[in-house]
Amino acid sequence: MARLANLPISDDMALKLQKDLDATVGLVDELTKLDLKDVVPTSQVTDITNVMRKDEIDKDRILNIGGYFKVKAIFDEVS
Amino acid sequence: MKFLDLSIAELASKYRSGEASPIDVVKECLENIDKNSDLNIFITLRDKEELLKEAENIKFKTLLSGIPYVLKDAYVTRGLRTTAASKVLENYIPDYDATVVKKLKEAGAILIGKTNMDAWGHGASSENTDFGPVKNPWDNTRVAGGSSGGATAAVAARMAMFAIGEDTGGSIRNPAGWCGISGLKVTYGRVSRYGAIAYASSLDTVGPMAKSAQDLAIILEQIAGIDKYDATSSPNIVPNYSNNLDVDIKKIKIGIPFELNLQINEAATQLKDLGAEIIDISLPMLKYAVSIYYLLAPSETSSNLGRYDGIRYGNGRENFTQESMRRILIGTFALSSGYYDAYYKKAQQARTKIIEDYQRAFEKCDVIIMPISPDIAPKFGELINDPIKNMLADMYAVTANISGIPSLALPCGFENGMPVGFQIQGPMFSEELLLGIGHQYQKSTT
């Protein structure tokens, strides 16, 4: 679990955290016993969906090299 | 003259009449900060000369102009260190301002500094911090509460007129109750979260803390509203909260969940005396609230905290505190394949049931009142050393975050010399009603 969570934990800490995890799972386990078949899960409480902005270009943010963007070359010039 | 004992409206009025100046008020803040430097309230204080210069040049555009405030250190401030109270961000200097910071800057409020908290929002006592535990100004052997402990203590100890805290599982209301001030958990989406260091993105709310509901109304007007940088921010218009506080309490039905098995307390009695009708309502899912919260929040935080890899910015993950590691691990577990359905998905389904519970209750009553915490502020070590007790401290607070509804925390008395608070909860976007009831309640009980 520590590797999955990318947390560097010493062996002593791992033992203590394991106990804590067990206790917590014990606490939340009562939820697993509830019959919630067919209940739609809620992932967010706003009624908002698909918030988009207009597809408009802000010309001030483009480099003015003929309307192009300048980036580093990937290939060397062929001589 | 103790300017910081005044309300925001009173101080604003004294500014305009010339009886007070922002420089005097900022000096008073700094004096109180000096006097109470052992409370571990601040992580970063702004430079004194800068503050006085800013105070000198204030233009009185809004009621908040020249009013000093503090920010829980979970809000990014351009050029000013922001740590979320963790060694992981010990030296992080953001290059942008959170929306709430921008709005308060435009309103002319004066930022005094960034306050201590439970790191990343993980806690109910402000002990889970790399900057020393925040001491309760009422009794410095007890915790200030959390996770917005420093912000709360700053207002209680008169180091600022108001604070911006953050409430994901009671983090504004819990310390407000334990330090004897007022705090508002807004409807999810009422205030933009852009620039707020995320704990649990579907539960986090940005909210004001101050000495009264009237003050909260004035602040909320400035900070609420849709923000193009926060796609979850609500397009609902922002009412003129501070002008609509004259609610007729005689027309209000107040529900008390009978599952709590509580005696009618002082606050309920006072509201009844003002003419409100008190009725019993039912919230059957109340007993599962802590389990739901302690599956959803750690899961979301394990994902949000994944970005702190110590490579692009900040220090490495070995700098997380034990409590934060605990939450990341629980979250990783609940989201892992094989366990996702039994835990995280189950919690999301149970979340739907809590929302339905509240919808049903609000058909019978206008608002619901509940305690904030099961007890007064505990002594240091009681919560942080007992992970289960720590979680149960949130039992009355988390339902508001799970359902998204607003909840106003107000002081309602004392027990053993320590402040006690209660909360008034209402349907989504009912801040106007809550603040109005709160104002009437505070007018009659001062």
Side-chain angles (χ1 to χ4, degrees), chain A residues 1 4-6 8 13 16 20 24-25 27-30 32 34 36 39-43 45-46 48 51, chain B residues 188 202 231 233 287-288 291 317-318 320 322 326 330 332-333 342-343 346 348-353 402 428:
Chain A
M1 205 48 54
L4 189 56
N6 192 14
M13 248 223 269
K16 164 112 203 350
D20 292 338
T24 310
V25 172
L27 178 69
V28 302
D29 242 345
E30 52 170 15
T32 58
L34 274 178
L36 296 172
V39 176
V40 178
T42 298
S43 47
V45 295
T46 70
I48 312 173
V51 178
Chain B
Y188 181 83
S202 79
S233 63
K287 62 180 188 279
Y288 297 108
S291 302
R317 293 172 77 78
E318 69 278 4
F320 283 127
Q322 199 165 76
R326 204 175 284 133
I330 296 170
T332 308
F333 168 72
Y343 291 104
K346 209 62 187 271
Q348 284 190 309
Q349 289 172 304
R351 184 173 191 178
T352 305
K353 302 298 280 177
I402 294 169
M428 301 286 271

Side-chain angles (χ1 to χ4, degrees), chain A residues 23-24 26-31, chain B residues 169 199 203 285-298 327 330 347 350 354 372 374 387-400 402:
Chain A
T24 310
L27 178 69
V28 302
D29 242 345
E30 52 170 15
L31 214 62
Chain B
Y199 165 11
L203 303 166
M285 288 295 289
L286 214 58
K287 62 180 188 279
Y288 297 108
V290 169
S291 302
I292 296 171
Y293 176 75
Y294 276 101
L295 280 171
L296 294 179
R327 297 197 187 201
I330 296 170
I354 290 214
I372 301 175
I388 299 290
K389 192 162 179 210
N390 201 4
M391 291 191 276
L392 291 173
D394 295 330
M395 58 196 273
Y396 300 126
V398 295
T399 53
I402 294 169

Side-chain angles (χ1 to χ4, degrees), chain A residues 44-48, chain B residues 103 167 185-194 201-207 220 223-227 230-238 241 400-401 403-406 428-429 431:
Chain A
Q44 56 113 345
V45 295
T46 70
D47 284 326
I48 312 173
Chain B
K103 287 191 168 192
D167 192 312
K185 180 228 167 268
V186 299
T187 305
Y188 181 83
R190 178 76 286 185
V191 179
S192 168
R193 288 179 302 113
Y194 181 68
S201 308
S202 79
L203 303 166
D204 288 349
T205 59
V206 176
L220 186 59
I223 63 176
I226 192 167
D227 181 22
D230 177 358
T232 62
S233 63
S234 169
N236 286 10
I237 53 131
V238 180
Y241 296 110
N401 304 89
S403 58
I405 63 170
M428 301 286 271
F429 299 104
E431 282 86 350

